[in-house]
Amino acid sequence: MKQSMYKHYDELPLFLNSETVAKVLGVSASSGYELMHEPGFPMLRIGNRMVVPKEQFIQWVVEHTEGGEHN
């Protein structure tokens, strides 16, 4: 697994693109892109650009983590 360059949610930009999602999760860029196309993932389309609002991304992580708790 790749090491995330982010250590805390506060370091994230307001909107995340697929590259940032991949970096945060420690996966490949193609995996981040694929994730953004998954049903239920909180992706927002702005023209041709796909982004994820930071707060919705955090909530998605919490909901998809075993135990569902936000630390």
Side-chain angles (χ1 to χ4, degrees):
M1 177 188 281
K2 294 181 179 183
Q3 183 72 23
S4 174
M5 62 183 266
Y6 298 99
K7 302 298 180 198
H8 197 275
Y9 287 130
D10 291 340
E11 298 174 5
L12 297 176
L14 189 56
F15 292 93
L16 292 71
N17 60 20
S18 61
E19 182 180 329
T20 305
V21 167
K23 286 179 183 177
V24 170
L25 297 176
V27 299
S28 69
S30 62
S31 292
Y33 183 81
E34 288 176 21
L35 179 60
M36 292 190 67
H37 286 87
E38 288 290 318
F41 192 76
M43 187 267 296
L44 173 65
R45 190 176 294 275
I46 302 173
N48 291 331
R49 190 162 184 239
M50 297 183 310
V51 295
V52 181
K54 172 177 148 175
E55 295 302 322
Q56 289 182 346
F57 174 73
I58 294 168
Q59 185 61 39
W60 181 88
V61 170
V62 169
E63 290 172 0
H64 290 84
T65 301
E66 287 187 34
E69 297 177 11
H70 179 54
N71 294 325

